[in-house]
Amino acid sequence: MPQTVPSFTELLAGCRRSAIHLETHDVYGVVEEDEDFSSWLSGHRYDIDDRSSWWNDFHTTVANAVSRGVVVRRARVVSEPVTDYIRFEHSCTPQNLAAGEDVRWLPRRLASDLLIPGNDLWIFDDRVIRFSLFAGDGRFVADVMEDSADVVKRHAEAFEAVWERAIPHADYRI
């Protein structure tokens, strides 16, 4: 029987303390971002001061959680030199920060001694993981839920190891 996976909005709405996100791919082929990425490649840049031009439901969901006291952190493990997609993500990260996320970057060369999960993930309140599965070309495949306390603990510890070593967005230069 297929697993029912709650939406990100539902999971974050139920959060009380923390939501952590680990990204480990250098290229993503997420349909919802294709148009923005293509525009960025053509030279378009959002004006961070013109919120109406870039604010969307994701930002509202994060901002609502942060206003309730939820700490939202994102760590990105990246290869260097970075891909165009990572440059795109880096240029859009001020939007995440404006919504209330804290974002850090870990160059893969500094992560060799860390045990990093095989899939991107969100962990909500140290109780449940939502793994995001991607194909080799970066195309999204599926989300899978995991609530085993041992698995959640191990992945939260792996995230914290990445987080401690990662570089705050304001200091990470590409």
Side-chain angles (χ1 to χ4, degrees), residues 105-116:
W105 302 81
L106 181 61
R108 204 171 302 279
R109 65 184 162 74
L110 301 177
S112 296
D113 61 332
L114 299 178
L115 298 177
I116 297 175

Side-chain angles (χ1 to χ4, degrees), residues 4-171:
T4 301
V5 178
S7 71
F8 170 77
T9 301
E10 292 171 299
L11 289 165
L12 196 55
C15 241
R16 302 267 187 257
R17 296 178 315 282
S18 68
I20 57 177
H21 186 36
L22 180 64
E23 295 179 346
T24 62
H25 297 270
D26 291 315
V27 175
Y28 290 89
V30 181
V31 173
E32 298 83 24
E33 295 177 349
D34 284 351
E35 187 177 328
D36 282 344
F37 182 45
S38 180
S39 292
W40 183 87
L41 286 171
S42 297
H44 177 265
R45 301 297 183 266
Y46 285 107
D47 177 356
I48 193 68
D49 295 325
D50 181 11
R51 235 180 217 206
S52 65
S53 69
W54 55 266
W55 192 268
N56 60 39
D57 291 342
F58 172 81
H59 300 112
T60 298
T61 299
V62 170
N64 288 343
V66 170
S67 72
R68 292 192 325 272
V70 176
V71 175
V72 181
R73 298 181 294 156
R74 178 188 305 251
R76 292 175 169 144
V77 180
V78 296
S79 300
E80 294 177 319
V82 300
T83 63
D84 284 341
Y85 188 86
I86 295 301
R87 286 184 206 295
F88 163 68
E89 279 192 328
H90 190 271
S91 75
C92 295
T93 296
Q95 298 168 6
N96 298 74
L97 301 174
E101 272 192 75
D102 191 0
V103 180
R104 293 186 183 181
W105 302 81
L106 181 61
R108 204 171 302 279
R109 65 184 162 74
L110 301 177
S112 296
D113 61 332
L114 299 178
L115 298 177
I116 297 175
N119 293 300
D120 287 11
L121 58 86
W122 279 94
I123 301 178
F124 300 93
D125 285 338
D126 291 322
R127 64 177 175 75
V128 64
I129 302 174
R130 180 178 161 175
F131 289 109
S132 294
L133 310 180
F134 292 90
D137 63 359
R139 184 178 32 84
F140 174 76
V141 174
D143 287 318
V144 178
M145 299 298 293
E146 175 64 60
D147 63 0
S148 163
D150 182 55
V151 174
V152 172
K153 180 180 184 281
R154 284 186 284 129
H155 284 78
E157 288 170 351
F159 176 88
E160 292 304 331
V162 168
W163 186 258
E164 288 174 17
R165 193 170 294 179
I167 302 163
H169 176 74
D171 299 328

